[in-house]
Amino acid sequence: MLTTVAVGLGLKPGRLALHRWAGRSVLPLESVRYSLAHLDAMEPQEFELAVCSLLRRDGLTAEHVGKAGDKGADVLVVDHSQRRVVVQCKRLRADRRVGDQDVQRVNGTYRHDHGAHFAVIVTTGGFTAAARASGPRYGIYLVDRDALQRWADLGEPLYGILRVPDETARRRRWAPRSWRTGRITRVTANQQLP
């Protein structure tokens, strides 16, 4: 009840609630795999649920919200860095392409209506040249048929395929002030403290 109220008020649920939500999958997370033939045979809502399962398999907190009037969000995600992500799913024939108008629709809603940091469009088809050009410009990652196969069937993590930057890596430890220089120095993963 408290989580429902917090979500209704736009508050972020606590860490414990996020872990509970991520653990709702019936199948062991590592066993979730879909072939392209299986995904092609799904109805659009089944495809959205499959994408939600794949996101959970990757360890992300994902909630299926797709319905009429969803404002471009079929799945809402909270990732490891506590970033909110909107996922739009397009279950199309293999020879069909998602156009720039779909990218524009997601661009118009993912930040303002959903408060997301970025968006992802996943399709069983491909993308037009215009969609490929505008997606990255608007902070929208595009998952075409080839990337979907690597993610759904071969088990590669989505963020690795898309090369989504890890925000936790950007917020690495800051070394204490050096007693010699008085400057704060940033420590990256491969460096030693001064």
Side-chain angles (χ1 to χ4, degrees):
M1 175 71 177
L2 182 58
T3 304
T4 306
V5 172
V7 171
L9 294 173
L11 302 174
K12 292 182 181 177
R15 198 174 206 177
L16 184 58
L18 291 175
H19 286 294
R20 276 194 221 129
W21 179 256
R24 287 188 176 183
S25 178
V26 176
L27 298 172
L29 291 176
E30 61 275 354
S31 68
V32 176
R33 299 265 171 106
Y34 298 98
S35 68
L36 287 178
H38 189 183
L39 294 171
D40 288 338
M42 291 180 174
E43 294 295 319
Q45 187 172 20
E46 291 175 313
F47 179 61
E48 293 169 8
L49 292 168
V51 167
C52 189
S53 295
L54 290 167
L55 290 161
R56 290 178 184 164
R57 178 197 72 192
D58 286 355
L60 306 172
T61 303
E63 177 185 4
H64 177 253
V65 294
K67 60 181 185 271
D70 59 20
K71 296 186 178 183
D74 293 321
V75 181
L76 295 177
V77 175
V78 177
D79 68 12
H80 299 34
S81 301
Q82 301 303 307
R83 292 176 293 190
R84 297 172 65 104
V85 181
V86 165
V87 179
Q88 173 67 44
C89 303
K90 296 289 187 186
R91 217 273 311 135
L92 305 172
R93 290 191 331 242
D95 62 335
R96 303 281 298 189
R97 303 285 175 253
V98 174
D100 190 48
Q101 70 278 7
D102 293 309
V103 173
Q104 298 297 333
R105 190 174 303 115
V106 171
N107 179 47
T109 61
Y110 84 86
R111 279 186 230 92
H112 302 293
D113 291 337
H114 301 291
H117 292 84
F118 61 90
V120 178
I121 300 176
V122 181
T123 183
T124 52
F127 292 93
T128 63
R132 286 191 181 282
S134 64
R137 188 172 54 228
Y138 299 127
I140 300 173
Y141 292 88
L142 307 177
V143 179
D144 63 7
R145 190 170 182 82
D146 293 333
L148 180 60
Q149 181 178 27
R150 290 173 53 199
W151 181 38
D153 195 13
L154 302 178
E156 292 182 43
L158 180 63
Y159 276 27
I161 294 169
L162 298 177
R163 295 187 178 108
V164 174
D166 181 10
E167 287 295 311
T168 57
R170 289 185 184 182
R171 289 182 271 168
R172 294 270 186 232
R173 302 178 313 258
W174 287 88
R177 291 188 182 268
S178 168
W179 61 272
R180 289 184 196 151
T181 63
R183 294 187 331 239
I184 296 176
T185 55
R186 185 177 175 154
V187 178
T188 61
N190 298 329
Q191 290 179 319
Q192 298 291 326
L193 287 172

